[in-house]
Amino acid sequence: MTEFLIRVIITAIIALVYFGILLLHVAYATYFERKVIGHIQMRLGPMVVGPHGLLQPIADMVKLVFKEDVIPSQVDRVIFRIAPLISLVAAMTTFSVIPVNQGWYIGDINVGLLFVLGIAGLGTYGLILAGWSSNSKYAFLGGLRSAAQMISYEVSLGLSIVGVILLAESFNLTEIVQKQQQYWHGMFLIPQFVAYFIFIVAMFAETNRVPFDLPEAESELVAGYFVEYSGMRFGLFYLSEYLAMFCMSALATICFWGGWTIPPVLLKAWPWLGNIPGIVWFLLKVYFHIFLFYWIRGTLPRYRYDQLMLIGWKVLVPLALLNIVVTSIIKYIF
Amino acid sequence: MECKEIINTIKDNFPEQILWITLFRGDCSITIKRDKAKQILKFLKENETLNFDYLIDVTAVDYKDIRQPRFNVVYHLMSVKHRHRIRIKVEVPEEDCWVETVSDLWATANWHERECFDMFGIQFKGHPDLRRILLPEDWEGYPLRKDYPVQSDLGEKEWKPFKEIIESVKE
Amino acid sequence: MERAVERDIVHTKELIVNMGPQHPATHGVLRLVLEVEGERIVKCTPYVGYLHRGIEKLSENLPYVSVLPLTDRMDYLASMVNNIGYCVAIEKLLGIQVPERAKFIRTMMAEMSRICSHLVWIATHALDIGAMTVFLYAFRDREVFLDLFEMVTGARLTVSYPRIGGVRCDVNNEFLDKLYNFIDKFPKHVEEYEVLIDRNRVWLRRTRNVGVITAEEAINMGLTGPTLRGSGVYYDVRKFFPYDAYDRVDFEVPLGKNGDVYDRYRCRMLEFRQSARIIKQCIEKLPEGPILAEEALKIRMPTAAVKIDKKDIEVALYIEDKSIEEFVQKYPEVYASVEAPKGELGFYVVCDGTAKPYRLRLRAPSFVHAGALPKLCEGGLVADVIANIGTIDLVLGECDR
């Protein structure tokens, strides 16, 4: 009994530390975005608050916290308040099974991958409820579109991961990373490049980022489902969007890029690389994917809604299914 | 095509409708009676040699106290094929203030005629949706008429919502 | 508000969406009421008039010279062209010959304005469709032009530089050098924007076969400028009814084929290059001489009455009325138009022999194009409304006057 209690307390402390560092990363991801997009657009981004604008996220957070909490009179009281919480909780819970280094996780369950996808799916409830409870036409349309988009792309997201599961023969995230060491290149990326491509595209749609950000585009529907939110409630939605980006990037790193490991061929060539802790490699790979998010945001226009759905259903799902079939055939033969 | 040739073609087909013709700085302008105005415009559009398929502008001029009839509705036409322009002016009296619409001949006339109605109060018979376009729907008065003041305290004729704002500020 | 519309078998409701006067993508205060069924637009009603300032009424009470700053504020993105149009109309009315140097300067300024206006167009059009970076690149280039305007006229946006009979003050060599150096590099900058969007799959999908207008429909609806030329109709006021120095410079008029948003976009991108070509030729061919006509000095005083030689007006009467000849000679009228970046900007002036115009009518291309919006949008999707508003290059200042 006491042993159980001690385990609970230790896990709680690990979780607090983990989430604390995670939130710091997410806050500075917003700063990173503004700098990257600024430089793409030939300007400097935040420069005023702190040296080179490094204190900008803190300033933003303080501003949001001190803003007046405006709740329109016609909204559904309870649901309006719950909706951002659902989004945030779903986004954060996915991180409880994601390992960032060998043995560094909050919980290691055997169906880790399924758990992540399932909880990420629960996040859509937050959107729909936000859009519906706002009692505003724009929010409603935006919420519906967002939800339909996320549901469609979850199918292809899940199907693209099946290829990885077939190769790794396990749902456990730590085992998926370790199984990638059996190749000389250390990644599932090379055999599963089609699945990686589908995963990347579906990743953009799941997180409502450009080129699939029609539901929250400023010029189309004036910020979509969270148009009626202000202050810290809006801050929670914003945070959950960036958390989802991190979650998807972490998933891509673990499933396709080898997590915290180094490709064996590189380790043989330069053994000193093994001295660098795995967390550094993990973070580098995750930040590469985050940079991909920002790079594409600065470059591409956005898809129209019907074209978006067309890609999700008519292009990605058949491709993913084809990938599964081919992977299984090749695995059976060899 | 030369101005004179255009005028001759029109004269041949509608001899008694033309009131007078003016040539000034290369523009030719024909003033016609209102009765068959629409038929003349239709003829101008559909005739092969003239082919005025492009309506540039529909507007009006108020000749209050200068000339009877008071208004002139002015049509500017152009031909993309032959590259010539012409101005047709239709005389409209004040008491019987209407002209037939040409929005079925040229779709662009729809909004131009609405603006004419908005500013001068000229009715366009047969227009699908004749209501005010630049001013609010419940405005009273026709601003571009010569008896409408440029700037003054309109008193009773002031637009109601504006009156309410002024009154609420005074309190 | 939602209205229930009974359909035959399935009961559906049409949603009325109001893209209100304040909206990030309507480029000013335009109100669109869309009746939407799912994603398809059933009916689109534009409401304009939020920016109506009564320029036509005001100009009946101001001397000819004082009306000039009012015309500036119509299409505030290309104010030089509005001024030139007004001056061309009054010069035609009074029969003033503009000196050669002034003609070339005005042509140069008009083309610079055209480039400025098209830069704002590409910036906002791309921004609405999602490509944010083009916005900043285009405005970076526009800063150079605005600085050049300030060097000559003293104002960046609403210049009142052309005068009836010429221009206000001369350009010096420093200005010409700077302009020439920049125009030399400008086509490469245009290529930078094109690299980002021209063959981009997403851009092509958002703009191809969207907002299609055939040539006959376009002529019938009164469209002008690149909006018309995208449908393949060759109509350019600079070629049909040349004014200023346009008959002395070499340039082409780009035409589209399908009449969709993409073709109009290509027309305007090619117009960038043609404008650069015209500016270069103007700088090379700029003659020496006066910049303001002698006769124009007469109407600079606010009380100067405008006198037109009676011999210039020919009247042919068909009814028995002697007073008509006197009437026509007392109230001469002209119509003159210029090729504004948005389309054909027309000025219809009725003169009454005093120092003020009797009637000044401004034919604004944006007004006509806004009237064509319902035809463009109906049957399309909500997201295409944004693309359509961008492609007709709507500026509300011009639409509402």
Side-chain angles (χ1 to χ4, degrees), chain A:
Chain A
M1 182 59 199
T2 43
E3 201 186 288
F4 175 67
L5 221 62
I6 293 174
R7 268 190 63 202
V8 165
I9 295 177
I10 293 181
T11 318
I13 296 177
I14 295 178
L16 268 173
V17 170
Y18 192 101
F19 282 131
I21 300 183
L22 180 66
L23 284 175
L24 204 65
H25 273 278
V26 168
Y28 275 87
T30 55
Y31 169 75
F32 185 40
E33 168 169 30
R34 289 164 75 167
K35 276 296 200 190
V36 165
I37 295 211
H39 282 271
I40 292 180
Q41 294 171 346
M42 308 217 340
R43 56 186 177 92
L44 291 172
M47 290 290 279
V48 175
V49 190
H52 278 274
L54 278 168
L55 295 178
Q56 184 74 42
I58 301 179
D60 283 339
M61 218 154 52
V62 170
K63 175 197 87 163
L64 281 175
V65 167
F66 279 107
K67 255 197 157 123
E68 179 186 348
D69 189 17
V70 177
I71 301 187
S73 56
Q74 299 291 326
V75 302
D76 190 316
R77 306 248 135 204
V78 176
I79 299 187
F80 190 81
R81 290 172 161 88
I82 292 182
L85 295 176
I86 297 182
S87 265
L88 187 70
V89 164
M92 292 193 89
T93 316
T94 53
F95 278 97
S96 52
V97 298
I98 292 185
V100 295
N101 201 350
Q102 184 67 38
W104 294 23
Y105 45 72
I106 302 179
D108 187 28
I109 51 181
N110 266 332
V111 285
L113 201 53
L114 265 187
F115 182 76
V116 171
L117 287 178
I119 301 282
L122 277 185
T124 49
Y125 273 109
L127 295 190
I128 306 178
L129 291 175
W132 180 81
S133 72
S134 294
N135 208 13
S136 140
K137 225 158 281 178
Y138 281 130
F140 181 57
L141 271 178
L144 279 185
R145 282 177 168 184
S146 225
Q149 172 187 320
M150 285 176 87
I151 295 176
S152 319
Y153 281 84
E154 263 166 22
V155 178
S156 12
L157 197 75
L159 285 177
S160 64
I161 300 264
V162 172
V164 167
I165 297 170
L166 282 175
L167 286 183
E169 294 166 14
S170 162
F171 278 103
N172 189 324
L173 287 167
T174 322
E175 270 182 45
I176 292 181
V177 171
Q178 282 160 345
K179 284 280 168 57
Q180 294 183 54
Q181 289 285 303
Q182 67 193 14
Y183 299 103
W184 60 268
H185 44 71
M187 307 187 204
F188 277 145
L189 176 61
I190 317 276
Q192 291 284 305
F193 58 92
V194 176
Y196 180 61
F197 163 73
I198 299 172
F199 188 87
I200 292 288
V201 176
M203 182 166 86
F204 280 99
E206 271 298 298
T207 49
N208 277 334
R209 298 284 292 186
V210 183
F212 302 115
D213 71 337
L214 199 72
E216 59 177 46
E218 278 148 15
S219 48
E220 312 263 350
L221 282 182
V222 208
Y225 58 88
F226 45 73
V227 70
E228 298 288 344
Y229 285 87
S230 61
M232 205 51 205
R233 295 183 205 280
F234 168 72
L236 291 179
F237 270 122
Y238 203 56
L239 213 60
S240 63
E241 181 179 321
Y242 281 83
L243 275 170
M245 269 169 58
F246 260 89
C247 165
M248 291 289 144
S249 307
L251 216 56
T253 318
I254 289 176
C255 295
F256 294 99
W257 279 58
W260 57 84
T261 57
I262 317 165
V265 65
L266 286 179
L267 198 55
K268 247 188 297 192
W270 298 296
W272 54 266
L273 284 176
N275 294 336
I276 303 179
I279 179 87
V280 173
W281 297 114
F282 184 79
L283 279 178
L284 272 174
K285 293 173 191 174
V286 167
Y287 270 101
F288 168 72
H289 285 94
I290 304 266
F291 175 71
L292 201 68
F293 272 105
Y294 301 153
W295 189 6
I296 295 200
R297 180 171 184 206
T299 316
L300 290 182
R302 65 177 67 94
Y303 269 108
R304 207 173 57 192
Y305 193 65
D306 60 325
Q307 295 159 350
L308 198 154
M309 297 302 259
L310 199 139
I311 295 178
W313 288 104
K314 288 198 194 166
V315 173
L316 290 186
V317 170
L319 253 171
L321 290 172
L322 193 66
N323 177 50
I324 296 175
V325 167
V326 169
T327 312
S328 351
I329 293 179
I330 295 186
K331 194 153 163 73
Y332 183 67
I333 298 179
F334 296 106

Side-chain angles (χ1 to χ4, degrees), chain C residues 19 28 62 81-82 129 138 197 208 240 254 297 309 327 370 398:
Chain C
M19 280 181 68
L62 290 170
V81 181
N82 299 1
I129 298 190
I197 45 185
R208 271 226 179 277
F240 276 38
L297 293 168
D309 204 351
F327 161 70
E398 193 175 52

Side-chain angles (χ1 to χ4, degrees), chain B residues 61-62 69-73 90-94 97 120 122 145:
Chain B
V61 188
D62 182 4
R70 182 175 174 184
F71 296 110
N72 266 7
V73 174
V90 178
E91 296 203 320
V92 178
E94 183 181 349
C97 207
F120 287 94
I122 300 176
R145 291 192 177 189

